[in-house]
């Protein structure tokens, strides 16, 4: 399915980043889809996921964070990442004001998106989807990164692999059980990159996302 490219203006100081939206004919909602710290919006995981979501009727807007757009240094600090997410949300609201809005992200992109929602009242956002929430650094199990999730008012969907090295399964369960609006889906055998042998994990992620979104839209 073909996408429509555009430039996303973040601010005069930060500049523009690349973005692309895919709008299926019979779409029921649109999601911002933020990439992780290791690969940008055009990575195969991001493009395959966006196309799989489109086949279920979910439109997406993918975008680069400035560090990835400029191919410089480590991942952006939260203030810059949050401004980028804000620009993506505002662009979706501008282009598709009648479509229900969801926020989502892979790893770093999901965590920055939830941090943004925790600090801002975005009533248009119907929920947030995490494709592998990075609960802690590899080999250092902890739950401090989840503290801000208590302030997120939107329903949350966690799609987590049981072999995710950045989210020990027991701690993910503990975290989601402590959150009033959280739904946790176990992706058996998948690591942080959602690789699980020869299993087609992308289609599983798209189906679980679509099923959950349909429930949210009925509320």
């Amino acid at each position: 399915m073909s996408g429509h490219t555009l430039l996303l203006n973040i601010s005069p100081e930060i500049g523009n980043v690349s973005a692309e939206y895919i709008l299926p004919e019979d779409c029921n909602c649109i999601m911002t889809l933020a990439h992780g710290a290791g690969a940008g919006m055009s990575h195969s995981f991001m493009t395959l996921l966006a196309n799989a979501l489109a086949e279920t009727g979910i439109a997406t807007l993918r975008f680069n964070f400035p560090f990835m757009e400029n191919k410089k240094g480590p991942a952006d600090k939260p203030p810059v990442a949050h401004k980028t997410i804000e620009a993506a949300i505002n662009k979706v609201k501008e282009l598709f004001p009648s479509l229900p809005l969801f926020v989502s992200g892979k790893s770093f992109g999901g965590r920055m998106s939830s941090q943004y929602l925790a600090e801002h009242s975005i009533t248009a956002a119907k929920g947030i989807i995490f494709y592998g929430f990075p609960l802690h650094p590899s080999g250092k199990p902890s739950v401090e990164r989840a503290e801000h999730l208590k302030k997120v008012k939107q329903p949350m969907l966690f799609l987590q692999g049981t072999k995710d090295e950045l989210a020990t399964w027991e701690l993910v369960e503990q975290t989601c059980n402590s959150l009033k609006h959280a739904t946790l889906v176990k992706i058996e055998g998948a690591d942080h990159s959602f690789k699980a042998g020869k299993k087609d994990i992308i289609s599983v992620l798209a189906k679980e996302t679509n099923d959950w979104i349909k429930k949210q839209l009925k509320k």
Side-chain angles (χ1 to χ4, degrees):
M1 194 170 293
S2 61
H4 303 268
T5 59
L6 56 101
L7 281 179
L8 189 65
N9 179 256
I10 302 170
S11 72
E13 298 76 24
I14 299 172
N16 301 324
V17 293
S18 301
E20 179 176 332
Y21 67 86
I22 298 178
L23 193 71
E25 285 186 16
D26 299 317
C27 62
N28 51 36
C29 69
I30 187 163
M31 284 177 15
T32 57
L33 180 55
H35 65 75
M41 58 172 269
S42 298
H43 185 267
S44 59
F45 175 86
M46 298 293 289
T47 56
L48 288 170
L49 179 58
N51 279 286
L53 289 166
E55 290 175 7
T56 73
I58 299 171
T60 55
L61 175 74
R62 304 190 326 279
F63 55 92
N64 274 337
F65 286 106
F67 81 96
M68 190 61 67
E69 183 78 9
N70 300 319
K71 297 179 173 61
K72 288 182 180 178
D76 295 308
K77 298 294 185 183
V80 173
H82 296 171
K83 287 289 290 183
T84 309
I85 290 159
E86 180 178 64
I89 289 173
N90 288 339
K91 179 57 70 173
V92 165
K93 289 162 65 177
E94 173 194 329
L95 293 175
F96 311 105
S98 63
L99 284 177
L101 166 67
F102 289 83
V103 176
S104 75
K106 172 73 180 82
S107 192
F108 167 83
R111 185 162 73 102
M112 292 299 105
S113 295
S114 58
Q115 285 182 0
Y116 177 76
L117 290 181
E119 298 300 330
H120 298 82
S121 178
I122 310 298
T123 55
K126 304 293 185 185
I128 179 168
I129 299 98
F130 300 102
Y131 296 101
F133 185 85
L135 190 56
H136 54 73
S138 181
K140 298 178 180 179
S142 62
V143 295
E144 285 80 7
R145 286 183 177 179
E147 192 63 29
H148 72 279
L149 296 173
K150 296 173 184 176
K151 296 194 289 183
V152 175
K153 295 180 175 64
Q154 288 84 358
M156 293 174 270
L157 174 63
F158 291 80
L159 296 159
Q160 298 283 155
T162 57
K163 294 185 178 179
D164 189 334
E165 61 275 18
L166 302 188
T168 305
W169 183 254
E170 292 77 12
L171 292 182
V172 171
E173 281 190 313
Q174 174 187 316
T175 296
C176 289
N177 288 337
S178 71
L179 298 169
K180 185 178 178 181
H181 305 295
T183 299
L184 174 61
V185 174
K186 178 188 287 190
I187 310 297
E188 195 65 53
D191 62 12
H192 191 65
S193 298
F194 287 107
K195 293 178 181 176
K198 296 182 179 181
K199 293 180 183 177
D200 177 14
I201 301 298
I202 294 288
S203 63
V204 174
L205 297 175
K207 180 184 183 302
E208 293 290 351
T209 301
N210 186 47
D211 289 348
W212 182 80
I213 281 178
K214 283 182 176 179
K215 292 178 182 176
Q216 304 311 311
L217 293 177
K218 287 178 181 178
K219 292 181 178 179

